[in-house]
Amino acid sequence: MASRGTGMSFSRKSYRLTSDAEKSRVTGIVHEKLLNDYLHHIFSSPGHAPPAATSRKPLNFQNLPEHLDQLLQVDSEGEESQGQVEGRLGPSTVVLDHTGGFEGLLLVDDDLLGVIGHSNFGTIRSTTCVYKGKWVYEVLISSQGLMQIGWCTINCRFNQEEGVGDTHNSYAYDGNRVRKWNVTTTNYGKAWAAGDIVSCLIDLDDGTLSFCLNGVSLGTAFENLSRGLGMAYFPAISLSFKESVAFNFGSRPLRYPVTGYRPLQDPPCADLVQAQRLLGCFRAVLSVELDPVEGRLVEKESSKWQLQGQPTVLLTLAHIFHHFAPLLRKVYLVEAVLMSFLLGIVEKGTPAQAQSVVHQVLDLLWLFMEDYEIQDCLKQLMMSLLRLYRFSPIVPDLGLQIHYLRLTIAILRHEKSRKFLLSNVLFDVLRSVVFFYIKSPLRVEEAGLQELIPTTWWPHCSSREGKERKEVKEETAEERLRRRAYERGCHRLKKHIEVVEELQVQILKLLLDNKDDNGGEASRYIFLTKFRKFLQENASGRGNMPMLCPPEYMVCFLHRLISALRYYWDEYKASNPRASFSEEAYIPPQIFYNGKVDYFDLQRLGGLLSHLRKTLKDDLASKANIVIDPLELQAATMDDLDEDEEPAPTAAQRPMQALAMGGALPLPRPGWLSSPTLGRANRFLSTAAVSLMTPRRPLSTSEKVKVRTLSVEQRTREDIEGSHWNEGLLLGRPPEEPEQPLTENSLLEVLDGAVMMYNLSVHQQLGKMVGVSDDVSEYAMALRDTEDKIRRCPKQRKDILAELTKSQKVFSEKLDHLSRRLAWVHATVYSQEKMLDIYWLLRVCLRTIEHGDRTGYEETLTRLAAILAKHFADMRIVGTDIRDSLMQALASYVCYPHSLRAVERIPEEQRIAMVRNLLAPYEQRPWAQTNWILVRLWRGCGFGYRYTRLPHLLKTKPEDANLPSLQKPCPSTLLQQHMADLLRQGPDVAPSFLNSVLNQLNWAFSEFIGMIQEIQQAAERLERNFVDSRQLKVCATCFDLSVSLLRVLEMTITLVPEIFLDWTRPTSEMLLRRLAQLLNQVLNRVTAERNLFDRVVTLRLPGLESVDHYPILVAVTGILVQLLVHGPVSETERATSVLLADPCFQLRSICYLLGQPEPPAPGTSLPAPDRKRFSLQSYKDYISAEELAQVEQMLAHLTSASAQAAAASLPTSEEDLCPICYAHPISAVFQPCGHKSCKACINQHLMNNKDCFFCKATIMSVEDWEKAANTSNTSSAA
């Protein structure tokens, strides 16, 4: 069907013909009788039977306008005039009062019906109030946070703390907290969710106020409202920061009208009647055809009707649209008339039939309506469609969503409509990403999930840890039947959801069509322009208000986009054998720097693109065949050059780094998709897909390409796809890249945008959704524990049994709800197909980095491990958030056996370089993350270091179902050996590394002690007070850091003991003395009876669960055992002498490890440990008999050596003690200043400073000093 402007450029007025008899033959007008029958059939009076042919007035095109005017005449008798209506005051068009009826900072939409909170608790009311009658308005909930919706009077005064419902004569419903408010508050209603519709009803005849949620009444909320002179109520809302809603006062048809209540804004009744009558005429045209040969009318189905250019039909339609077109610009009429008509077509016919009719209708709209009319009509039509889709209730078969998506597809299949909507509406006016989202039901019973999944199930795996798990509880026959029934229900749900997802993919396939370039730009290139702007807005608005696309929408959009992208990618491969399959996709490196794609201000590994182009412009010219336009370099600001001085993003602004890809979901899926490694790695890779260029062969000057970044709007199809003499997006191809393109260049840009989408917010949302699985696990453990208690409860304690039974019921109901929600989350977010999408994106990123740097699943893990090992300490990476992402990705990699093996499979040279970077002094980078990596390489090898749940918690609270869980140990002996080899090499590696470890240990433990002092003081105050949860978290973190640093020292001493015990090394004695000093400090602080540490541990404060004697004492014990038990006698004696020489040493602290208050007498056996005391002997499930024997041997050795040292020690005068530590005798003199101290103090000082303690002179050398020798020399001189 040709549309206006492409062959049939009519205007409505051009169809008015004269009555000349010959004109009919010239123009093809049918004879008078057939024309009369046809026009009477089309324009019959509504509600009346058609008159007999003999009695009706003849109709032709001359008297048709008069007849049509009579047909459209609306009887206004009894209708109230538009404007002032009894019971209502204010403008007839009701909107939000953005001029004076608000409090706080709010963002109001252009139509003055949508509002977003931009302050603590902003309030706004409408422009119209009511004082008599029954009234209703609707609120479309866009976010489910803190809001109070209702009514208020003009005298209500609000502020940032008090909103609607917090003052007299204001009333509100709060679905976030499920309460109603009028100064005081009580429970009321149900919880609302994003996508719900709240109806607010006020009956000023009876003085009552009530609310409905999605058309279901919540009951009367308030009675006895104040009425009378001066009392009128305004619709009003108070909402907190970032919350958003949209009001419908009646400008659109109410979604859930209530009998007896009228909307605040009157519908356009006269226009509505006219539009419905004209629609009837239009439908009559589509249901009948003229047969000039037979001279009769032929009834036909609308799907088979065709406009064949008959002048009679064209003139008839022109008369209809002369009146109909202006009405179709109005929002209310589009939704009430046109939308209902089109939805009826979709619901009644097959997709092919519906598509045919909708296509015909759109052709006619474009033909008979002016451009501005059809554009307004399509805009309102799509807005209504999106609103209906977003705020439709979830039903078991998702039938409502399917109908709306089918109509959307039918509209978008119309080429001219699709291009207009893409260019002007979908990404400009609408949040069109909503079409790709399937909202999650908050109330599973209303969503019909009970029908789809009648039987619920949850995993019953045990979470307890004992000495060893001898047997795994087998699944009973009943549990097996429940699980299989649950899986069948999940499968049914997934099939329903897949229907919706397939329709959503079809929408994107239409938007990505690049073959519809007849008479204009193809849809795909319009989409690329809008898509890039969409990414830019979300990237620049990250962390700011308003967030343009919520993360849950972005997740669904990403999966649908990947499906459509891979479809077109493989379709291109089918017709171009030299291209690549989508399985081999990557983004060529030149796209990142040739200026064809605008990356706005996104951070690269080496900084902003403008900064990189300035600092690397010579490299681009000589190695990458690229010359940057000098005008672009001049346009960059100096801020780009000072990038390193910019403050690092705060924790609130920084994206979440860790990502768990699914957690413990009940449905089976490949184990390799459950690894958090992929999530962490992909978070890094999505940011890291940039050009880390290595040298390429230099090219001649004539081959160099001059580029300048083009804005999105400036680009043409040729700039993207290229031509015979232009490579488009692939301009400046490096010689290593293949000449044959991978696929169409436009698809490469879509792929690049998909990676960016994942980085912007998808990874965050995937991590959040795992919370549902975690909730199921926690409630399942709680239910299991409750059932155990019921079995153990004595029958005579009926009170306890009743409470336990009540708890059991609550947990069971909650698990029923959560298991159904989990099935929904699994089908929409964590299905195997969607995890494979993320895995595919990961491999795209890997191949992209490899092509930029030139450096099955196992292979993928190994390739990623090589990238992480090479670049986690790359000094060219200047962004702190990217550097942290790299470090955390590597930490996750060494935490899991399969990914750790991948690290061990990378080339040896890269492994050694990685370990060397890990051993660099901690002061040069984030040391805590580096230390975690080293600890994970050791975990499973240390003394009592094989647990997966903290032993002290299992010992003190075995019934607790929420104990923190640790990853199973998976040490790497290969990487440990690399570490040992590196520490033995060179004189500076080991001292610098260990000095930084000891410094950080001293800091971390000192901070921890200071914090528990504050916590203890707060707990002892008489007045009631609360310890800040953040302080508790920092305290626990310092404790965990101290334990991990001690474990790194244990690993170092075990692997390379000579660093501390071989005193031929210049720094060994100093390191050993520092280590002994710190170990004694830790032991004394932790083991003192009823001391600070002991009291804080006994408080069992939430957040300090990890703080206990066991973790830190077993770490110290492991170091002492390595020093004093293992190794040659000479080295153990040396270590013993240093330990005993430290003034802080107390033998009682060593006895504490075995639960003894004092050392045992020589020759006596150790008594049984006191149950009330800490003792390593109480943890035999975690400490082996061999390890306990080594501790007893160490205690016996220290007891004997301590007695001998006490007998042989001579009193030392205070003058001979080191003036710095007052613990050791003076043994060194500084040159040239001559000041003295012990060797330990001066050696430790010289590690960080070369100035003298006392006079600040530069120390050139340190010499031994002995008092006796100096005294004799002085006497001889005399």
Side-chain angles (χ1 to χ4, degrees), residues 1045-1186:
L1045 289 163
L1046 286 167
R1047 288 297 185 180
V1048 170
L1049 291 170
E1050 179 191 17
M1051 175 171 61
T1052 305
I1053 293 171
T1054 304
L1055 297 176
V1056 199
E1058 60 269 24
I1059 293 178
F1060 291 91
L1061 300 175
D1062 182 7
W1063 283 12
T1064 59
R1065 293 171 173 260
T1067 58
S1068 293
E1069 181 182 359
M1070 181 271 297
L1071 291 174
L1072 183 59
R1073 292 187 184 279
R1074 286 197 66 193
L1075 176 64
Q1077 181 185 18
L1078 286 171
L1079 293 180
N1080 283 324
Q1081 289 179 5
V1082 173
L1083 282 171
N1084 293 341
R1085 291 282 192 177
V1086 175
T1087 62
E1089 294 288 344
R1090 294 181 296 279
N1091 71 339
L1092 179 64
F1093 184 87
D1094 214 24
R1095 291 196 295 270
V1096 170
V1097 167
T1098 55
L1099 290 175
R1100 297 295 176 193
L1101 296 173
L1104 294 185
E1105 291 87 357
S1106 62
V1107 177
D1108 195 84
H1109 297 82
Y1110 181 88
I1112 195 165
L1113 287 183
V1114 291
V1116 173
T1117 304
I1119 297 174
L1120 292 175
V1121 167
Q1122 289 296 330
L1123 289 173
L1124 304 175
V1125 177
H1126 299 286
V1129 175
S1130 60
E1131 293 182 353
T1132 57
E1133 291 298 332
R1134 189 173 297 151
T1136 303
S1137 63
V1138 171
L1139 188 67
L1140 297 178
D1142 188 86
C1144 297
F1145 174 77
Q1146 297 181 24
L1147 186 59
R1148 177 196 56 76
S1149 298
I1150 308 299
C1151 299
Y1152 185 91
L1153 299 176
L1154 294 175
Q1156 307 303 326
E1158 297 295 338
T1164 62
S1165 61
L1166 291 171
D1170 186 350
R1171 289 182 178 271
K1172 297 181 180 179
R1173 292 178 175 276
F1174 172 84
S1175 174
L1176 296 179
Q1177 293 174 318
S1178 302
Y1179 293 89
K1180 293 183 179 180
D1181 290 346
Y1182 308 97
I1183 301 175
S1184 65
E1186 181 184 358

Side-chain angles (χ1 to χ4, degrees), residues 74-82 84-86 262 266-267 269-270:
V74 178
D75 183 10
S76 60
E77 184 178 349
E79 286 196 14
E80 298 177 85
S81 61
Q82 296 291 324
Q84 297 301 323
V85 179
E86 185 180 6
R262 63 185 298 174
D266 292 322
C269 297

Side-chain angles (χ1 to χ4, degrees), residues 12-45:
R12 291 194 297 273
K13 296 180 180 179
S14 68
Y15 290 101
R16 299 184 178 275
L17 302 181
T18 66
S19 59
D20 189 345
E22 294 297 319
K23 187 74 83 173
S24 63
R25 290 196 294 271
V26 174
T27 59
I29 300 297
V30 296
H31 58 77
E32 292 182 3
K33 180 180 182 305
L34 182 58
L35 176 62
N36 179 58
D37 292 341
Y38 179 71
L39 293 180
H40 272 290
H41 177 82
I42 301 299
F43 298 103
S44 60
S45 300

Side-chain angles (χ1 to χ4, degrees), residues 300-413:
K300 257 200 169 181
E301 293 182 9
S302 299
S303 58
K304 298 179 180 179
W305 186 88
Q306 293 288 331
L307 179 62
Q308 299 172 349
Q310 296 172 306
T312 302
V313 178
L314 291 173
L315 286 168
T316 303
L317 289 170
H319 282 85
I320 293 174
F321 277 97
H322 179 72
H323 297 276
F324 202 14
L327 296 175
L328 290 181
R329 297 183 61 200
K330 299 182 179 181
V331 179
Y332 194 100
L333 300 180
V334 168
E335 189 164 325
V337 178
L338 183 60
M339 175 70 72
S340 300
F341 168 59
L342 295 176
L343 282 175
I345 294 172
V346 171
E347 292 171 6
K348 294 176 182 176
T350 64
Q353 292 173 337
Q355 171 59 43
S356 174
V357 176
V358 172
H359 197 279
Q360 287 284 344
V361 170
L362 290 173
D363 273 343
L364 295 174
L365 293 180
W366 279 103
L367 179 61
F368 290 103
M369 296 175 70
E370 301 292 345
D371 284 345
Y372 68 91
E373 292 173 337
I374 179 63
Q375 290 171 4
D376 285 350
C377 178
L378 283 175
K379 174 183 173 182
Q380 300 300 339
L381 183 63
M382 289 306 295
M383 291 179 67
S384 298
L385 255 180
L386 184 137
R387 193 179 301 111
L388 288 171
Y389 175 80
R390 183 180 185 186
F391 294 97
S392 293
I394 300 293
V395 295
D397 62 352
L398 299 172
L400 295 174
Q401 286 78 6
I402 289 173
H403 287 318
Y404 299 141
L405 289 175
R406 284 179 58 192
L407 178 54
T408 304
I409 291 171
I411 294 172
L412 292 177
R413 286 192 186 279

